Amino acid sequence: MRIGELARRSGVSERSLRYYEAQGLLRAERTPGGHRDYGEWAVDRVVRIQTLYAAGLNSKKIAQLLPCMRDTDGRPNEIATRELVDELTAERDRINRLITDLVCSRDVLDEVIDMASESAVA
């Protein structure tokens, strides 16, 4: 598929897809005319990249992680190093701390809303 179709199907801009390719996160074959040509696997790969960015990982970390993951085509990938596993565990722990902090903030906000609602009714 061409870059425009991949952008449409993945919900990511063509500019972002070119950036992913420049960062080594995504690869494309080239047509004889020089156009990028992606396989069906690319949609899943782009969604994974977006998910990892949303989790707070940077492109360097994502580039390390992607070879350890399987795409929907099920092809085998490289084995993760112990160092990468440790780094990813630290990232997961950081995300869990953020989730805990956000839940605490939400609980405080809920309490303030409840108290304000009682005052507004009175």
Side-chain angles (χ1 to χ4, degrees):
M1 81 186 79
R2 296 277 177 92
I3 193 168
E5 182 180 350
L6 179 57
R8 182 183 57 76
R9 290 181 55 193
S10 65
V12 175
S13 71
E14 291 181 22
R15 181 177 178 189
S16 291
L17 295 174
R18 285 190 285 277
Y19 174 78
Y20 296 166
E21 190 174 338
Q23 296 300 307
L25 305 177
L26 186 64
R27 63 177 169 67
E29 301 295 324
R30 294 290 182 153
T31 66
H35 297 283
R36 288 173 174 83
D37 188 34
Y38 299 94
E40 282 298 315
W41 60 267
V43 176
D44 181 62
R45 174 62 61 100
V46 171
V47 170
R48 285 177 186 230
I49 292 168
Q50 286 293 107
T51 301
L52 294 168
Y53 271 125
L57 277 69
N58 60 38
S59 59
K60 183 179 176 183
K61 186 65 63 192
I62 294 170
Q64 290 177 309
L65 175 62
L66 282 175
C68 303
M69 301 172 78
R70 293 182 189 270
D71 288 321
T72 54
D73 64 6
R75 67 188 158 98
N77 287 306
E78 300 169 18
I79 303 296
T81 64
R82 182 75 240 163
E83 180 182 74
L84 179 59
V85 170
D86 291 344
E87 290 174 11
L88 293 173
T89 300
E91 284 293 327
R92 184 196 57 210
D93 293 345
R94 181 189 67 79
I95 291 168
N96 283 336
R97 285 190 303 276
L98 287 172
I99 290 169
T100 299
D101 291 346
L102 286 169
V103 168
C104 182
S105 296
R106 184 192 62 203
D107 291 347
V108 169
L109 187 56
D110 284 344
E111 185 179 318
V112 171
I113 290 169
D114 289 345
M115 289 171 40
S117 296
E118 290 174 13
S119 297
V121 174

